[in-house]
Amino acid sequence: MTKISSARHDERGKLTGGKAGDQTGKEVSEQNFYVHSKGWYIIRPRSDIHAAKIAERMRAACNNPFIGYDQNQRLGITKVGINTKVATECDCSSLVRQCVREACGVDPGNFTTANEKGMLLATKLFDDAGAYRSGVAIYPGDILVTKSKGHTVICTEGPNRPNAVEYYPKCSGNYTSIVDALMSVGEMNITKTHRTEIAAANGIRNYTGTAAENTKLLKLLKNGKLVKP
């Protein structure tokens, strides 16, 4: 069964004015998947690793009684984090933001459900998987946001992601050598044979190791867009 989790409302079923922390165990919680009346857009992590971590961070938030709901105090979670031991507040979008920050190491910015889709896609860590339709699979780590301003959730339980594309971590160093740059992001196999496989996965056929080929690979790696073979 597919499960989705989110920050929902305060202990009185209201959007503002409640006590800090989760007073009922339901302010931030998991539900069976449902189709929102405004419809869902699906924002899908490109990386299996990021997807798993995003789902894990949301589950941790659901299980932390110190995290409650209040739109007027929505940025509290961004100051203390999901593992907080101090009572704090969030709303649906600020909690999704914090899950992404902690899972991916990138802050997508202070979005609301009105501009969430665009701001998440701008990080280059996600793909636009389109609008939800009956029968479409939702995978753990997928972020759903309503088609117009409303609500956002994270899938925390569902079918395994099928053949997801995995990307190398973004290279932040000032490297000019593709070999050095690959090693800096944890790739230990830097033989030409493996670099040929990397090149093929990124659209470079018959790789020979020319400067132009390596420059293309290096640019992709520095932008976080280099696909793993």
Side-chain angles (χ1 to χ4, degrees):
M1 181 177 292
T2 300
K3 302 278 190 177
I4 53 176
S5 300
S6 63
R8 303 172 69 189
H9 49 67
D10 73 12
E11 65 273 18
R12 304 159 304 146
K14 305 293 185 180
L15 300 181
T16 61
K19 295 180 180 179
D22 194 338
Q23 309 301 315
T24 63
K26 296 181 179 180
E27 294 185 47
V28 178
S29 59
E30 184 179 67
Q31 311 92 49
N32 291 336
F33 173 76
Y34 65 90
V35 180
H36 197 281
S37 60
K38 294 183 176 181
W40 294 121
Y41 282 127
I42 306 168
I43 305 166
R44 181 157 293 154
R46 291 179 169 181
S47 163
D48 285 351
I49 294 173
H50 286 165
K53 287 183 177 180
I54 289 170
E56 183 278 326
R57 286 289 77 201
M58 179 56 89
R59 286 193 298 270
C62 291
N63 292 324
N64 188 342
F66 292 101
I67 304 174
Y69 187 103
D70 189 326
Q71 284 190 354
N72 286 347
Q73 306 296 326
R74 63 188 293 273
L75 296 182
I77 189 65
T78 67
K79 298 173 183 176
V80 297
I82 289 170
N83 292 335
T84 181
K85 299 299 181 185
V86 176
T88 193
E89 305 280 57
C90 66
D91 70 356
C92 62
S93 56
S94 65
L95 181 56
V96 167
R97 173 191 179 188
Q98 188 63 24
C99 287
V100 171
R101 288 175 74 182
E102 296 188 19
C104 306
V106 172
D107 186 355
N110 183 22
F111 54 75
T112 69
T113 53
N115 62 347
E116 176 177 345
K117 179 183 175 183
M119 289 186 69
L120 287 174
L121 294 177
T123 68
K124 308 300 183 183
L125 299 175
F126 299 90
D127 288 323
D128 182 353
Y132 175 78
R133 305 179 306 281
S134 178
V136 170
I138 306 296
Y139 305 111
D142 282 358
I143 298 172
L144 309 182
V145 62
T146 46
K147 294 180 179 180
S148 58
K149 186 176 181 179
H151 194 45
T152 183
V153 304
I154 289 175
C155 177
T156 44
E157 184 178 331
N160 293 330
R161 284 160 54 93
N163 302 317
V165 175
E166 187 172 357
Y167 293 79
Y168 282 101
K170 186 176 181 179
C171 173
S172 57
N174 188 26
Y175 296 95
T176 57
S177 164
I178 186 60
V179 170
D180 292 341
L182 284 168
M183 292 178 65
S184 76
V185 298
E187 176 58 77
M188 302 308 295
N189 184 355
I190 43 76
T191 63
K192 186 176 180 181
T193 296
H194 190 55
R195 282 184 281 131
T196 299
E197 295 170 348
I198 295 171
N202 288 274
I204 301 175
R205 307 297 176 184
N206 303 314
Y207 173 83
T208 60
T210 65
E213 291 169 333
N214 288 334
T215 296
K216 181 177 180 179
L217 294 178
L218 190 60
K219 183 177 180 180
L220 289 171
L221 187 59
K222 288 184 175 181
N223 288 329
K225 297 180 180 180
L226 189 69
V227 176
K228 287 188 175 183

Short mmCIF file of all heavy atoms in Angstrom, two decimals, residues 121-160:
data_model
loop_
_atom_site.label_atom_id
_atom_site.label_comp_id
_atom_site.label_asym_id
_atom_site.label_seq_id
_atom_site.Cartn_x
_atom_site.Cartn_y
_atom_site.Cartn_z
N LEU A 121 12.49 21.85 -9.00
CA LEU A 121 13.08 21.49 -10.29
C LEU A 121 14.33 22.32 -10.59
O LEU A 121 15.27 21.84 -11.23
CB LEU A 121 12.06 21.65 -11.40
CG LEU A 121 10.85 20.70 -11.37
CD1 LEU A 121 9.88 21.03 -12.50
CD2 LEU A 121 11.31 19.24 -11.46
N ALA A 122 14.37 23.56 -10.08
CA ALA A 122 15.53 24.42 -10.33
C ALA A 122 16.80 23.90 -9.66
O ALA A 122 17.90 24.27 -10.07
CB ALA A 122 15.23 25.84 -9.84
N THR A 123 16.67 23.03 -8.66
CA THR A 123 17.86 22.46 -8.01
C THR A 123 18.57 21.45 -8.91
O THR A 123 19.70 21.07 -8.63
CB THR A 123 17.49 21.76 -6.70
OG1 THR A 123 16.70 20.59 -6.98
CG2 THR A 123 16.74 22.70 -5.76
N LYS A 124 17.90 20.97 -9.95
CA LYS A 124 18.41 19.93 -10.86
C LYS A 124 18.51 18.57 -10.18
O LYS A 124 19.12 17.64 -10.72
CB LYS A 124 19.78 20.32 -11.44
CG LYS A 124 19.84 21.70 -12.08
CD LYS A 124 18.87 21.84 -13.21
CE LYS A 124 18.99 23.20 -13.89
NZ LYS A 124 17.99 23.38 -14.97
N LEU A 125 17.92 18.43 -9.00
CA LEU A 125 17.94 17.15 -8.28
C LEU A 125 16.68 16.34 -8.54
O LEU A 125 16.59 15.18 -8.12
CB LEU A 125 18.06 17.40 -6.77
CG LEU A 125 19.31 18.12 -6.28
CD1 LEU A 125 19.22 18.40 -4.78
CD2 LEU A 125 20.55 17.30 -6.61
N PHE A 126 15.71 16.95 -9.24
CA PHE A 126 14.41 16.31 -9.43
C PHE A 126 13.99 16.37 -10.89
O PHE A 126 14.43 17.24 -11.64
CB PHE A 126 13.34 17.03 -8.58
CG PHE A 126 13.60 17.00 -7.11
CD1 PHE A 126 14.33 18.02 -6.51
CD2 PHE A 126 13.13 15.97 -6.33
CE1 PHE A 126 14.59 18.00 -5.14
CE2 PHE A 126 13.38 15.94 -4.96
CZ PHE A 126 14.11 16.95 -4.37
N ASP A 127 13.13 15.43 -11.25
CA ASP A 127 12.49 15.44 -12.56
C ASP A 127 11.01 15.69 -12.39
O ASP A 127 10.39 15.31 -11.38
CB ASP A 127 12.70 14.09 -13.26
CG ASP A 127 14.13 13.90 -13.73
OD1 ASP A 127 14.76 14.89 -14.17
OD2 ASP A 127 14.64 12.76 -13.65
N ASP A 128 10.42 16.33 -13.38
CA ASP A 128 8.98 16.55 -13.42
C ASP A 128 8.34 15.27 -13.95
O ASP A 128 8.46 14.94 -15.13
CB ASP A 128 8.66 17.74 -14.33
CG ASP A 128 7.18 18.06 -14.39
OD1 ASP A 128 6.37 17.28 -13.84
OD2 ASP A 128 6.82 19.08 -14.99
N ALA A 129 7.70 14.51 -13.07
CA ALA A 129 7.07 13.25 -13.47
C ALA A 129 5.63 13.44 -13.92
O ALA A 129 4.91 12.46 -14.15
CB ALA A 129 7.15 12.23 -12.34
N GLY A 130 5.20 14.69 -14.03
CA GLY A 130 3.88 14.98 -14.57
C GLY A 130 2.78 14.95 -13.54
O GLY A 130 3.00 14.81 -12.34
N ALA A 131 1.57 15.08 -14.02
CA ALA A 131 0.40 15.08 -13.15
C ALA A 131 0.01 13.64 -12.80
O ALA A 131 0.15 12.73 -13.64
CB ALA A 131 -0.76 15.79 -13.83
N TYR A 132 -0.47 13.46 -11.59
CA TYR A 132 -0.93 12.13 -11.20
C TYR A 132 -2.20 11.77 -11.98
O TYR A 132 -3.11 12.57 -12.12
CB TYR A 132 -1.22 12.05 -9.70
CG TYR A 132 -1.80 10.70 -9.32
CD1 TYR A 132 -0.99 9.59 -9.19
CD2 TYR A 132 -3.18 10.54 -9.17
CE1 TYR A 132 -1.51 8.35 -8.91
CE2 TYR A 132 -3.72 9.30 -8.87
CZ TYR A 132 -2.88 8.21 -8.75
OH TYR A 132 -3.41 6.97 -8.46
N ARG A 133 -2.22 10.53 -12.47
CA ARG A 133 -3.39 9.96 -13.11
C ARG A 133 -3.66 8.60 -12.49
O ARG A 133 -2.75 7.95 -11.96
CB ARG A 133 -3.18 9.81 -14.62
CG ARG A 133 -2.80 11.07 -15.34
CD ARG A 133 -2.59 10.83 -16.83
NE ARG A 133 -1.65 9.76 -17.10
CZ ARG A 133 -0.33 9.89 -17.04
NH1 ARG A 133 0.21 11.06 -16.71
NH2 ARG A 133 0.45 8.87 -17.30
N SER A 134 -4.86 8.14 -12.54
CA SER A 134 -5.22 6.86 -11.96
C SER A 134 -4.32 5.75 -12.51
O SER A 134 -4.11 5.63 -13.72
CB SER A 134 -6.68 6.52 -12.29
OG SER A 134 -7.03 5.26 -11.78
N GLY A 135 -3.74 4.98 -11.60
CA GLY A 135 -2.88 3.88 -11.98
C GLY A 135 -1.41 4.21 -12.04
O GLY A 135 -0.57 3.30 -12.15
N VAL A 136 -1.05 5.51 -11.96
CA VAL A 136 0.36 5.90 -11.98
C VAL A 136 1.00 5.53 -10.64
O VAL A 136 0.43 5.79 -9.58
CB VAL A 136 0.50 7.41 -12.23
CG1 VAL A 136 1.93 7.88 -12.02
CG2 VAL A 136 0.05 7.74 -13.65
N ALA A 137 2.17 4.90 -10.69
CA ALA A 137 2.86 4.50 -9.46
C ALA A 137 3.51 5.70 -8.80
O ALA A 137 4.07 6.58 -9.47
CB ALA A 137 3.92 3.44 -9.78
N ILE A 138 3.44 5.74 -7.48
CA ILE A 138 4.12 6.74 -6.66
C ILE A 138 5.17 5.99 -5.85
O ILE A 138 4.87 4.99 -5.21
CB ILE A 138 3.13 7.45 -5.71
CG1 ILE A 138 1.95 8.04 -6.48
CG2 ILE A 138 3.85 8.54 -4.91
CD1 ILE A 138 2.33 9.12 -7.46
N TYR A 139 6.40 6.49 -5.87
CA TYR A 139 7.51 5.79 -5.23
C TYR A 139 7.99 6.54 -3.99
O TYR A 139 7.88 7.76 -3.90
CB TYR A 139 8.67 5.63 -6.22
CG TYR A 139 8.28 4.96 -7.50
CD1 TYR A 139 8.26 5.65 -8.71
CD2 TYR A 139 7.91 3.62 -7.52
CE1 TYR A 139 7.89 5.03 -9.89
CE2 TYR A 139 7.54 2.99 -8.69
CZ TYR A 139 7.53 3.69 -9.87
OH TYR A 139 7.15 3.08 -11.04
N PRO A 140 8.55 5.81 -3.02
CA PRO A 140 9.11 6.47 -1.83
C PRO A 140 10.11 7.54 -2.21
O PRO A 140 10.99 7.32 -3.05
CB PRO A 140 9.78 5.31 -1.07
CG PRO A 140 8.97 4.10 -1.46
CD PRO A 140 8.63 4.32 -2.91
N GLY A 141 9.95 8.70 -1.60
CA GLY A 141 10.81 9.85 -1.92
C GLY A 141 10.18 10.80 -2.90
O GLY A 141 10.62 11.96 -3.02
N ASP A 142 9.16 10.36 -3.63
CA ASP A 142 8.45 11.27 -4.53
C ASP A 142 7.79 12.38 -3.71
O ASP A 142 7.24 12.13 -2.64
CB ASP A 142 7.35 10.54 -5.31
CG ASP A 142 7.88 9.73 -6.47
OD1 ASP A 142 9.10 9.76 -6.72
OD2 ASP A 142 7.06 9.06 -7.14
N ILE A 143 7.84 13.59 -4.24
CA ILE A 143 7.17 14.73 -3.61
C ILE A 143 5.96 15.08 -4.45
O ILE A 143 6.05 15.23 -5.67
CB ILE A 143 8.13 15.93 -3.52
CG1 ILE A 143 9.34 15.59 -2.64
CG2 ILE A 143 7.39 17.16 -2.98
CD1 ILE A 143 10.43 16.64 -2.65
N LEU A 144 4.82 15.17 -3.80
CA LEU A 144 3.58 15.54 -4.48
C LEU A 144 3.15 16.91 -4.02
O LEU A 144 3.19 17.22 -2.83
CB LEU A 144 2.46 14.53 -4.16
CG LEU A 144 2.78 13.04 -4.34
CD1 LEU A 144 1.55 12.21 -4.02
CD2 LEU A 144 3.27 12.75 -5.75
N VAL A 145 2.76 17.75 -4.96
CA VAL A 145 2.26 19.09 -4.63
C VAL A 145 1.02 19.35 -5.47
O VAL A 145 0.93 18.89 -6.62
CB VAL A 145 3.34 20.17 -4.88
CG1 VAL A 145 3.74 20.24 -6.35
CG2 VAL A 145 2.87 21.53 -4.38
N THR A 146 0.05 20.02 -4.88
CA THR A 146 -1.20 20.27 -5.59
C THR A 146 -0.96 21.17 -6.81
O THR A 146 -0.04 21.98 -6.84
CB THR A 146 -2.23 20.92 -4.66
OG1 THR A 146 -1.62 21.98 -3.91
CG2 THR A 146 -2.80 19.90 -3.69
N LYS A 147 -1.82 21.03 -7.80
CA LYS A 147 -1.67 21.77 -9.06
C LYS A 147 -1.85 23.27 -8.87
O LYS A 147 -1.34 24.06 -9.66
CB LYS A 147 -2.67 21.24 -10.09
CG LYS A 147 -2.38 19.82 -10.53
CD LYS A 147 -3.40 19.36 -11.56
CE LYS A 147 -3.11 17.95 -12.03
NZ LYS A 147 -4.09 17.48 -13.04
N SER A 148 -2.59 23.66 -7.87
CA SER A 148 -2.66 25.06 -7.46
C SER A 148 -2.38 25.10 -5.97
O SER A 148 -2.32 24.06 -5.30
CB SER A 148 -4.04 25.66 -7.78
OG SER A 148 -5.07 24.93 -7.14
N LYS A 149 -2.18 26.29 -5.43
CA LYS A 149 -1.78 26.41 -4.03
C LYS A 149 -2.69 25.60 -3.12
O LYS A 149 -3.91 25.69 -3.20
CB LYS A 149 -1.82 27.88 -3.62
CG LYS A 149 -1.29 28.15 -2.22
CD LYS A 149 -1.28 29.63 -1.92
CE LYS A 149 -0.71 29.88 -0.52
NZ LYS A 149 -0.66 31.34 -0.21
N GLY A 150 -2.05 24.77 -2.26
CA GLY A 150 -2.87 23.93 -1.40
C GLY A 150 -2.07 23.09 -0.43
O GLY A 150 -1.91 23.44 0.74
N HIS A 151 -1.50 21.98 -0.90
CA HIS A 151 -0.88 21.03 0.02
C HIS A 151 0.29 20.34 -0.68
O HIS A 151 0.37 20.29 -1.91
CB HIS A 151 -1.91 20.01 0.48
CG HIS A 151 -1.47 19.19 1.65
ND1 HIS A 151 -0.87 19.72 2.77
CD2 HIS A 151 -1.56 17.85 1.89
CE1 HIS A 151 -0.61 18.76 3.64
NE2 HIS A 151 -1.02 17.61 3.13
N THR A 152 1.20 19.78 0.13
CA THR A 152 2.31 19.00 -0.40
C THR A 152 2.64 17.89 0.58
O THR A 152 2.53 18.06 1.80
CB THR A 152 3.55 19.88 -0.68
OG1 THR A 152 4.59 19.07 -1.26
CG2 THR A 152 4.08 20.52 0.59
N VAL A 153 3.02 16.73 0.03
CA VAL A 153 3.30 15.54 0.83
C VAL A 153 4.52 14.83 0.23
O VAL A 153 4.95 15.13 -0.89
CB VAL A 153 2.11 14.57 0.84
CG1 VAL A 153 0.85 15.25 1.34
CG2 VAL A 153 1.87 13.97 -0.55
N ILE A 154 5.05 13.87 0.99
CA ILE A 154 6.13 13.02 0.51
C ILE A 154 5.68 11.58 0.62
O ILE A 154 5.10 11.17 1.65
CB ILE A 154 7.42 13.24 1.32
CG1 ILE A 154 8.02 14.61 0.98
CG2 ILE A 154 8.45 12.13 1.05
CD1 ILE A 154 9.23 14.98 1.82
N CYS A 155 5.93 10.79 -0.41
CA CYS A 155 5.62 9.36 -0.35
C CYS A 155 6.66 8.69 0.56
O CYS A 155 7.86 8.81 0.33
CB CYS A 155 5.67 8.74 -1.74
SG CYS A 155 5.38 6.96 -1.74
N THR A 156 6.18 8.01 1.58
CA THR A 156 7.07 7.35 2.54
C THR A 156 7.00 5.83 2.44
O THR A 156 7.83 5.14 3.05
CB THR A 156 6.75 7.78 3.97
OG1 THR A 156 5.33 7.78 4.17
CG2 THR A 156 7.28 9.19 4.24
N GLU A 157 6.05 5.31 1.71
CA GLU A 157 5.95 3.85 1.54
C GLU A 157 5.27 3.57 0.22
O GLU A 157 4.25 4.19 -0.11
CB GLU A 157 5.16 3.23 2.69
CG GLU A 157 5.10 1.72 2.66
CD GLU A 157 4.36 1.14 3.84
OE1 GLU A 157 4.38 1.78 4.91
OE2 GLU A 157 3.74 0.07 3.70
N GLY A 158 5.85 2.63 -0.55
CA GLY A 158 5.26 2.31 -1.84
C GLY A 158 6.13 1.33 -2.59
O GLY A 158 7.09 0.78 -2.03
N PRO A 159 5.87 1.11 -3.86
CA PRO A 159 6.66 0.16 -4.65
C PRO A 159 8.08 0.67 -4.87
O PRO A 159 8.35 1.86 -4.78
CB PRO A 159 5.89 0.09 -5.98
CG PRO A 159 5.14 1.40 -6.06
CD PRO A 159 4.79 1.74 -4.64
N ASN A 160 8.98 -0.28 -5.13
CA ASN A 160 10.38 0.08 -5.39
C ASN A 160 10.50 0.89 -6.67
O ASN A 160 9.77 0.66 -7.64
CB ASN A 160 11.24 -1.18 -5.51
CG ASN A 160 11.35 -1.93 -4.20
OD1 ASN A 160 11.30 -1.33 -3.12
ND2 ASN A 160 11.52 -3.24 -4.27
#
